[in-house]
């Protein structure tokens, strides 16, 4: 039997993201703006297939051809003829929906591979019985041959995303290891070149290491005015910097952004789109940064969007961004609360437990809005976002926060009978207050978590952004002795732990500041209700820390999901605080199988809990501010360790968590046509149909290009 964590269950939650009312209320001009931004996002989102795994694009094309010839209800007859049971056909539909929702065959949240929950020969029989096969048997047989082995393979290296022997990554050729990633980062830093929109391919010529750094861009070739392109001798290796990765899709993105420009509401939006187009055409991260500056200046737009190579969670080295594009419509009522939080930020920031010198010189008031998602193209949809991720812009120019209201509304709805690891007395309380408490946590996490804290920097000219003769480490009392230099960034310095460490810091800020009565009042919580919100927020966090064990791979001793590693670390910190604050005990469930219960003493949150988070949060910030990679790694990796030693056997608890895990929900998104919104039901068939109709004008051409891109690099993964 294959471990159930590598299947998606037939009863997986699938919800439609309802944005019909939000879209209806847009003006015709706003609808057109949203439409073309959505088109750009969906074309760009296909890049994630190429970024995720060598086989993802082939599987996607195979499924698209099958469902374009026969919608799920019609294909069911072929499934019956091929000998599939009703349960096996549903498993096939769920697998297809999962591939579309994750933009690849690895879970976007957890980076674990998932395979079809039906025998390989049944899957093949369905392909052969399909109308698509009967129309083009040669093409379909060739497609099946390209992906049938990897579709089902669960060899150790293919079970999860990773680098070298730890897993699969399409950001690097198969012969790259961590040392290659580190060496390439040294080269990129020397050229002041960002890794965000790159992939790395390694070869050997005449015994000499050769690396190809590929930049995502619509244009190909080299231009003499851009000195970073071309051949570079670096130490004992040769680097070739080339553009043109995903060229066809990048061109589609640019074309639709160009059309969106005609419907922009103001000059900031136009300038933003012009810079994005330049960035995606030429492969310039600097142009994307410039576009992000205009995006920050575009305050309170009705239609909000962001697009590009954004989050680096899935790069095993932590420096390369996954493509995403979102388009959303403002929710005015909820945004008013977030605006209050922004206005209170300058009062709340001094409450954070680090000295004033470790905070930014001035708080750059961001936009903070609640949005209903119309389009979110990429590997998954978060509940909230704080962007841009460029440290230099965030530190000195600002950022924006968004909370995705229609995602929150359906993503975290919980049925009592599926609520694990809590005492019965906590379950009703948890269900009642999970939504309101998570809203508070998301707000604090994004605005005052990711938006706080200073990085100490010495620029290329030797200028410091702090007084190195006066700023002292609050832990030791000594003058600080390390900082970021030149082109060094948070991601490039802390690399593999950067994403999770930063999520942990932001989560801690949320826990710490949710104890503030002013914060609770902003969100409409007073008196006893406010205390319930605090309790459930902290309870949610410690439970999430236990659930996080699902995302730990014991064989490679590695974490596959940044947020869940962060929450496990926080659980460890709070368990270590002692005094009965958090209880965690193993037991036997009503079904006779291993179980566990986690408890939280609400009377000790404001004392023991607050003190523990206060100290830990300060340590996190000091290491981050001072570029103290060694100290930061020792702290964070120490709390991240999953062992059988000590008071709690976390390796055994991991098995219990896997036994009782609930699959993460998937979302069905609408499609836009000219001033029209197509809405689909919240089911596997609805999710599939939304993708079949996503590229109505050029689906076959898009699929041919995906196959060509995949074929071109096929030798790189051997």
């Amino acid at each position: 039997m294959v471990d159930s964590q590598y299947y998606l269950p037939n009863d997986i939650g699938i919800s439609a993201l309802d944005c019909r009312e939000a879209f209806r209320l847009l003006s015709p001009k706003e609808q057109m703006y949203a439409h073309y931004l959505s088109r750009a996002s969906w074309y760009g989102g296909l890049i994630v297939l190429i970024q995720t795994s060598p086989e993802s694009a082939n599987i996607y094309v195979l499924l698209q051809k099958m469902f374009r010839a026969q919608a799920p209800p019609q294909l069911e007859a072929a499934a019956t003829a091929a000998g599939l049971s009703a349960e096996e056909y549903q498993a096939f539909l769920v697998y297809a929906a999962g591939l579309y929702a994750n933009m690849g065959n690895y879970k976007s949240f957890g980076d674990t591979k998932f395979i079809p929950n039906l025998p390989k020969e049944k899957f093949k029989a369905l392909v052969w019985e399909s109308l698509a096969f009967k129309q083009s048997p040669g093409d379909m047989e060739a497609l099946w041959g390209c992906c049938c082995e990897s579709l089902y393979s669960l060899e150790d290296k293919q079970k999860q995303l990773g680098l070298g022997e730890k897993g699969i990554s399409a950001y690097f050729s198969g012969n790259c290891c961590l040392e290659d990633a580190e060496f390439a980062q040294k080269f990129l830093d020397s050229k002041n070149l960002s890794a965000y929109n790159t992939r790395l391919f390694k070869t050997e010529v005449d015994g000499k290491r050769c690396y190809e750094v590929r930049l995502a861009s619509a244009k190909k070739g080299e231009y003499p005015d851009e000195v970073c392109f071309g051949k570079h001798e670096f130490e004992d290796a040769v680097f070739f910097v080339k553009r043109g990765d995903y060229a066809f899709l990048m061109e589609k993105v640019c074309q639709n952004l160009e059309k969106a420009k005609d419907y922009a509401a103001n000059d900031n939006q136009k300038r933003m789109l012009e810079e994005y187009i330049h960035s995606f055409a030429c492969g310039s991260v600097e142009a994307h940064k410039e576009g992000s500056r205009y995006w920050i200046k575009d305050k309170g737009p009705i239609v909000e969007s962001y697009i590009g190579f954004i989050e680096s969670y899935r790069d095993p080295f932590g420096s390369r961004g996954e493509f995403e594009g979102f388009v959303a419509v403002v929710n005015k009522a909820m945004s008013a609360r977030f605006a209050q939080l922004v206005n209170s930020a300058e009062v709340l920031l001094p409450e954070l437990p680090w000295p004033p010198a470790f905070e930014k010189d001035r708080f750059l008031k961001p936009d903070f809005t609640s949005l209903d998602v119309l389009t979110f193209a990429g590997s998954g949809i978060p509940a909230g976002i704080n962007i841009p991720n460029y440290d230099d812009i965030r530190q000195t120019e600002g950022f924006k926060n968004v909370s995705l209201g229609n995602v929150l509304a359906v993503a975290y709805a919980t049925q009592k009978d599926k609520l694990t690891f809590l005492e019965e007395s906590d379950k009703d309380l948890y269900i009642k207050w999970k939504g309101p408490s998570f809203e508070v946590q998301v707000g604090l996490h994004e605005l005052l978590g990711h938006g706080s804290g200073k990085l100490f920097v010495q620029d290329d000219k030797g200028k410091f952004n702090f007084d190195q003769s006066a700023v002292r480490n609050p832990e030791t009392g000594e003058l600080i002795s390390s900082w970021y230099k030149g082109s060094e960034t948070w991601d490039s310095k802390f690399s593999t732990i950067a994403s999770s460490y930063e999520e942990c810091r932001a989560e801690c800020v949320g826990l710490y500041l949710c104890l503030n009565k002013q914060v609770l009042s902003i969100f409409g919580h007073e008196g006893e209700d406010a205390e319930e919100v605090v309790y459930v927020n902290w309870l949610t966090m410690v439970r999430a820390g236990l659930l996080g064990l699902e995302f730990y791979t014991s064989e490679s001793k590695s974490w596959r999901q940044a947020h869940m590693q962060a929450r496990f670390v926080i659980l460890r910190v709070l368990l270590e605080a002692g005094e009965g604050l958090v209880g965690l005990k193993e037991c036997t469930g009503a079904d006779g199988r291993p179980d566990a219960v986690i408890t939280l003493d609400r009377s000790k949150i404001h004392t023991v809990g607050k003190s523990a988070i206060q100290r830990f949060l300060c340590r996190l910030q000091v290491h981050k501010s001072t570029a103290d990679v060694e100290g930061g790694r020792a702290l964070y990796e120490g709390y991240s360790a999953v062992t059988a030693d000590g008071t709690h056997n976390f390796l055994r608890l991991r098995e219990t968590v896997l036994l009782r895990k609930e699959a993460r929900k998937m979302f069905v998104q609408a499609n836009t046509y000219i001033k029209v919104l197509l809405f689909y039901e919240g089911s596997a068939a609805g999710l599939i149909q939304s993708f079949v109709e996503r590229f109505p004008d050029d689906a076959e051409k898009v699929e041919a290009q995906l196959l060509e891109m995949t074929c071109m690099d096929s030798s790189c993964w051997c």
Side-chain angles (χ1 to χ4, degrees):
M1 286 290 291
V2 173
D3 192 318
S4 65
Q5 70 174 308
Y6 301 108
Y7 291 132
L8 300 177
N10 277 11
D11 63 350
I12 191 170
I14 302 176
S15 299
L17 274 187
D18 196 347
C19 57
R20 288 173 289 185
E21 182 67 6
F23 187 78
R24 186 185 68 79
L25 293 172
L26 295 177
S27 70
K29 181 180 178 182
E30 289 164 346
Q31 288 182 351
M32 292 296 285
Y33 183 65
H35 167 68
Y36 285 117
L37 288 173
S38 292
R39 302 311 303 149
S41 297
W42 286 124
Y43 279 114
L46 294 172
I47 288 169
V48 179
L49 291 166
I50 308 294
Q51 292 180 304
T52 298
S53 72
E55 66 273 9
S56 286
N58 287 332
I59 302 170
Y60 171 88
V61 175
L62 177 76
L63 294 171
Q64 283 289 82
K65 288 184 180 298
M66 291 175 72
F67 289 120
R68 197 163 53 249
Q70 291 168 288
Q74 286 74 54
L75 190 60
E76 188 168 10
T80 302
L84 276 71
S85 67
E87 290 75 18
E88 287 170 333
Y89 182 61
Q90 178 63 18
F92 168 74
L93 293 182
V94 165
Y95 176 79
L99 186 110
Y100 291 135
N102 292 279
M103 268 290 99
N105 59 338
Y106 287 77
K107 295 174 188 174
S108 64
F109 198 86
D111 295 343
T112 308
K113 188 173 186 178
F114 59 95
I115 66 172
N117 192 12
L118 71 159
K120 184 177 176 181
E121 60 271 18
K122 292 283 186 80
F123 196 132
K124 180 181 178 181
L126 175 56
V127 173
W128 260 246
E129 193 64 36
S130 69
L131 180 58
F133 187 90
K134 289 169 181 171
Q135 289 173 339
S136 303
D139 290 345
M140 292 297 285
E141 187 169 355
L143 259 178
W144 175 257
C146 283
C147 63
C148 62
E149 294 304 320
S150 49
L151 186 75
Y152 276 90
S153 174
L154 283 175
E155 293 178 15
D156 283 348
K157 183 176 176 177
Q158 294 184 324
K159 286 180 178 179
Q160 65 281 315
L161 299 179
L163 190 55
E165 292 306 309
K166 289 190 173 182
I168 290 294
S169 174
Y171 290 100
F172 300 87
S173 56
N175 56 351
C176 284
C177 61
L178 181 61
E179 288 73 22
D180 294 303
E182 290 170 340
F183 183 60
Q185 189 63 53
K186 276 179 66 179
F187 165 75
L188 292 171
D189 287 344
S190 76
K191 298 295 179 186
N192 203 19
L193 191 64
S194 171
Y196 265 122
N197 63 344
T198 70
R199 292 195 293 163
L200 186 71
F201 294 81
K202 177 185 175 184
T203 55
E204 196 168 296
V205 179
D206 298 329
K208 193 169 190 176
R209 287 182 297 168
C210 296
Y211 295 93
E212 183 181 306
V213 177
R214 263 191 225 164
L215 275 68
S217 68
K219 293 180 179 179
K220 301 179 181 180
E222 298 170 15
Y223 291 79
D225 59 317
E226 297 180 69
V227 293
C228 61
F229 289 98
K231 181 179 178 181
H232 302 270
E233 299 278 347
F234 184 76
E235 295 186 10
D236 61 344
V238 177
F239 280 84
F240 295 90
V241 180
K242 298 181 179 180
R243 72 170 97 218
D245 214 4
Y246 331 112
F248 173 81
L249 295 175
M250 296 302 284
E251 178 62 28
K252 286 288 187 181
V253 173
C254 292
Q255 288 169 358
N256 282 281
L257 292 180
E258 194 67 53
K259 291 175 182 176
K261 220 168 71 176
D262 293 337
Y263 301 96
N266 54 55
D267 194 52
N268 278 324
Q269 288 183 359
K270 285 180 183 173
R271 298 291 297 276
M272 168 189 83
L273 293 175
E274 285 168 359
E275 294 293 344
Y276 289 166
I277 291 165
H278 176 62
S279 171
F280 300 149
C282 299
S284 168
V285 170
E286 286 304 313
H288 193 267
K289 290 171 77 169
E290 196 60 29
S292 298
R293 290 184 172 100
Y294 286 113
W295 178 70
I296 292 166
K297 293 173 187 174
D298 183 29
K299 301 289 186 184
I302 300 300
V303 177
E304 182 64 282
S305 72
Y306 196 63
I307 188 168
F309 296 88
I310 314 298
E311 302 294 353
S312 56
Y313 300 127
R314 300 183 95 190
D315 169 15
F317 188 65
S319 294
R320 289 153 188 82
E322 183 175 75
F323 193 95
E324 72 178 40
F326 78 83
V327 185
V329 181
V330 70
N331 178 320
K332 291 181 180 177
M334 186 59 67
S335 295
R337 291 185 189 174
F338 289 135
Q340 269 188 280
L341 189 63
V342 170
N343 290 332
S344 304
E346 287 171 280
V347 177
L348 296 171
L349 280 169
E351 299 290 314
L352 291 171
W354 47 76
F358 284 73
E359 191 48 69
K360 291 175 184 150
D361 300 332
R362 63 189 180 95
F363 180 69
L364 300 156
K365 282 191 177 180
D367 248 13
F368 197 169
T369 48
S370 178
L371 306 172
D372 285 341
V373 170
L374 172 65
T375 293
F376 206 114
S379 64
I381 310 179
I385 316 169
N386 175 287
I387 36 183
N389 286 335
Y390 304 118
D391 290 331
D392 50 345
I393 294 179
R394 293 162 69 96
Q395 289 284 312
T396 60
E397 298 176 60
F399 52 91
K400 280 188 185 181
N401 296 274
V402 297
S403 174
L404 303 177
N406 58 343
V407 176
L408 282 168
V410 295
Y412 299 99
T414 309
Q415 295 174 301
K416 188 174 179 179
D417 61 346
K418 290 188 174 182
L419 196 52
T420 53
F421 309 127
L422 292 180
E423 290 188 314
E424 285 300 314
S425 57
D426 276 333
K427 288 184 178 180
D428 287 330
L429 206 61
Y430 181 95
I431 289 168
K432 179 179 179 180
W433 293 104
K434 174 71 195 296
S437 70
F438 195 68
E439 182 183 287
V440 174
Q441 180 68 13
V442 167
L444 294 171
H445 174 115
E446 301 297 349
L447 174 67
L448 299 172
H450 292 314
S452 65
K454 180 172 181 172
L455 301 184
F456 297 133
V457 177
Q458 181 184 17
D459 66 21
D460 289 326
K461 296 176 182 176
K463 184 181 177 184
F464 291 87
N465 71 342
F466 67 101
D467 184 351
Q468 71 272 27
S469 66
V471 179
R472 295 184 178 274
N473 183 324
E475 295 284 313
T476 64
E478 298 174 359
L479 290 172
I480 66 167
S481 55
S482 58
W483 46 82
Y484 299 85
K485 294 169 185 171
S487 61
E488 291 177 344
T489 66
W490 161 248
D491 281 331
S492 70
K493 287 288 284 183
F494 281 73
S495 64
T496 54
I497 66 164
S499 290
S500 185
Y501 188 110
E502 174 59 12
E503 293 304 331
C504 186
R505 195 183 68 87
E507 292 284 46
C508 286
V509 168
L511 285 181
Y512 189 73
L513 288 180
C514 84
L515 303 177
N516 185 295
K517 288 185 178 179
Q518 182 182 349
V519 167
L520 295 164
S521 180
I522 287 169
F523 285 91
H525 307 303
E526 306 280 357
E528 192 176 318
D529 284 357
E531 286 306 309
E532 300 290 37
V533 166
V534 168
Y535 176 64
V536 171
N537 193 35
W538 279 62
L539 182 66
T540 298
M541 188 62 69
V542 294
R543 177 175 179 262
L546 179 60
L547 296 178
L549 288 167
E550 176 190 339
F551 302 93
Y552 177 77
T553 302
S554 53
E555 294 82 2
S556 60
K557 297 183 179 178
S558 61
W559 285 90
R560 307 185 311 273
Q561 214 294 318
H563 299 79
M564 299 311 280
Q565 179 183 0
R567 291 159 189 164
F568 176 76
V569 165
I570 292 170
L571 170 61
R572 290 281 310 277
V573 169
L574 294 177
L575 282 168
E576 187 184 83
E579 299 187 48
L581 172 69
V582 175
L584 174 57
K585 64 178 183 181
E586 297 180 69
C587 58
T588 302
D591 57 3
R593 300 190 299 173
D595 206 342
V597 175
I598 196 155
T599 57
L600 175 69
D601 186 338
R602 67 163 70 215
S603 70
K604 293 175 180 172
I605 293 173
H606 286 270
T607 52
V608 180
K610 182 178 181 180
S611 178
I613 292 296
Q614 183 176 35
R615 167 132 171 85
F616 182 62
L617 184 50
C618 184
R619 294 174 74 190
L620 288 175
Q621 184 58 49
V622 168
H623 292 307
K624 181 182 180 183
S625 290
T626 59
D628 178 10
V629 179
E630 187 178 342
R633 275 193 178 278
L635 174 69
Y636 199 68
E637 291 176 349
Y639 280 111
S640 297
V642 178
T643 68
D645 308 329
T647 310
H648 302 287
N649 186 332
F650 287 115
L651 285 174
R652 190 169 62 219
L653 279 163
R654 175 180 174 270
E655 297 303 315
T656 302
V657 169
L658 287 172
L659 181 70
R660 299 188 177 276
K661 70 184 178 66
E662 183 181 359
R664 192 171 174 84
K665 280 186 180 176
M666 299 192 292
F667 299 110
V668 184
Q669 297 185 61
N671 281 321
T672 60
Y673 289 83
I674 302 296
K675 299 179 185 176
V676 175
L677 188 76
L678 287 187
F679 190 72
Y680 304 87
E681 67 175 26
S683 67
L687 204 162
I688 290 163
Q689 199 60 33
S690 73
F691 268 89
V692 170
E693 297 177 6
R694 193 136 281 160
F695 305 99
D697 302 325
D698 55 2
E700 291 188 18
K701 188 173 182 182
V702 167
E703 290 160 20
Q705 288 290 328
L706 284 169
L707 294 179
E708 187 178 316
M709 284 184 261
T710 300
C711 181
M712 182 180 73
D713 292 332
S714 58
S715 63
C716 298
W717 319 117
C718 301

